[in-house]
């Protein structure tokens, strides 16, 4: 098995996990997601519900289609969607609206995040993260002979373990971003004269 096949599979597993988690999160918290979408102030209100549903369906489609061997369109669609997300965050950061929920279902975007009031806000770090994911998505468009290469049990195990490791590393990076934002909020509250605020 070539390294290119392993890398392609691992990147696809990572992107599938990201889009699947995002789609499930948006479905289970549709009202909150619609409110987040409205807060970005990039679409007319009459279009928000339809666009929210479109994003959910698109992310679900990508989660299912990224493993179709030889079909590169999903890779380009995924890259385009990630660019849209990065652009939306960048536009609002330039406007000074840096307190918006990113809506990307990271650690702070878990179901408990809505009930606790803690969110993962947009930042230039997340914009850079999305740009890196765009590169990953485009990398999966490189033709790989999935169907012509028979994978052994050992090769499948290698791909599975590598994918789990990469997904774990990605989740750890997301958690580190959340912890950084939490620390900044805590320091801001302390400096404003409320030292009793728990971390």
């Amino acid at each position: 098995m070539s390294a290119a096949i392993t890398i392609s599979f691992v990147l696809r597993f990572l992107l599938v996990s990201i889009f699947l988690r995002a789609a499930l999160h948006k479905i289970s918290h549709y009202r909150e997601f619609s409110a987040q979408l409205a807060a970005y102030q990039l679409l007319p209100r009459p279009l928000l519900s339809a666009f929210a549903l479109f994003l959910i369906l698109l992310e679900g489609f990508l989660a299912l289609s990224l493993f179709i061997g030889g079909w590169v369109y999903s890779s380009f669609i995924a890259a385009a969607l990630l660019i849209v997300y990065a652009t939306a965050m960048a536009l609002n950061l330039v406007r000074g609206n840096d307190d918006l929920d990113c809506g990307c279902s990271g650690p702070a975007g878990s179901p408990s995040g809505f009930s606790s009031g803690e969110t993962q806000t947009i930042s230039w770090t997340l914009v850079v993260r999305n740009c890196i994911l765009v590169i990953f998505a485009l990398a999966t468009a490189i033709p790989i002979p999935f169907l012509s290469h028979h994978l052994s049990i050992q090769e499948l195990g290698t791909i599975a373990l590598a994918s789990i490791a990469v997904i774990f590393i990605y989740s750890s990076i997301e958690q580190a971003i959340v912890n950084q934002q939490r620390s900044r909020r805590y320091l801001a509250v302390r400096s404003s004269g409320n030292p009793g605020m728990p971390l």
Side-chain angles (χ1 to χ4, degrees):
M1 178 177 60
S2 69
I5 292 177
T6 302
I7 293 172
S8 182
F9 269 112
V10 170
L11 292 180
R12 286 171 187 268
F13 269 117
L14 174 62
L15 292 171
V16 165
S17 70
I18 291 172
F19 286 122
L20 181 60
R21 181 181 62 175
L24 293 176
H25 180 75
K26 290 177 175 65
I27 291 174
S28 59
H29 298 88
Y30 182 77
R31 290 185 179 179
E32 290 88 346
F33 172 60
S34 297
Q36 292 169 357
L37 202 58
Y40 277 77
Q41 300 179 3
L42 296 174
L43 290 171
R45 285 194 171 272
L47 298 179
L48 288 176
S49 296
F51 192 70
L53 180 60
F54 168 74
L55 289 179
I56 293 172
L57 293 175
L58 183 57
E59 288 178 342
F61 166 77
L62 291 172
L64 295 175
S65 64
L66 276 168
F67 276 115
I68 299 178
W71 202 64
V72 300
Y73 296 105
S74 292
S75 300
F76 293 121
I77 295 172
L81 181 59
L82 290 165
I83 290 174
V84 169
Y85 288 161
T87 301
M89 287 189 285
L91 288 174
N92 276 277
L93 287 169
V94 171
R95 293 174 180 173
N97 301 329
D98 57 355
D99 59 343
L100 298 178
D101 189 321
C102 74
C104 47
S105 73
S110 61
S112 61
F114 286 123
S115 60
S116 65
E118 182 182 13
T119 59
Q120 184 177 9
T121 55
I122 62 174
S123 65
W124 289 111
T125 301
L126 295 183
V127 174
V128 172
R129 179 206 64 181
N130 272 31
C131 292
I132 294 173
L133 291 177
V134 168
I135 297 174
F136 288 171
L138 292 176
T140 64
I142 299 174
I144 296 295
F146 288 102
L147 300 179
S148 63
H149 185 89
H150 178 71
L151 298 178
S152 66
I153 298 299
Q154 182 179 0
E155 291 171 335
L156 290 173
T158 299
I159 291 172
L161 291 176
S163 299
I164 292 172
V166 169
I167 292 172
F168 177 78
I169 292 171
Y170 177 83
S171 298
S172 299
I173 292 173
E174 278 203 332
Q175 186 61 60
I177 294 173
V178 172
N179 292 341
Q180 182 186 44
Q181 292 181 347
R182 183 185 297 139
S183 297
R184 287 178 178 176
R185 286 194 293 265
Y186 175 72
L187 293 175
V189 171
R190 288 292 297 268
S191 63
S192 66
N194 187 9
M197 174 75 177
L199 182 60

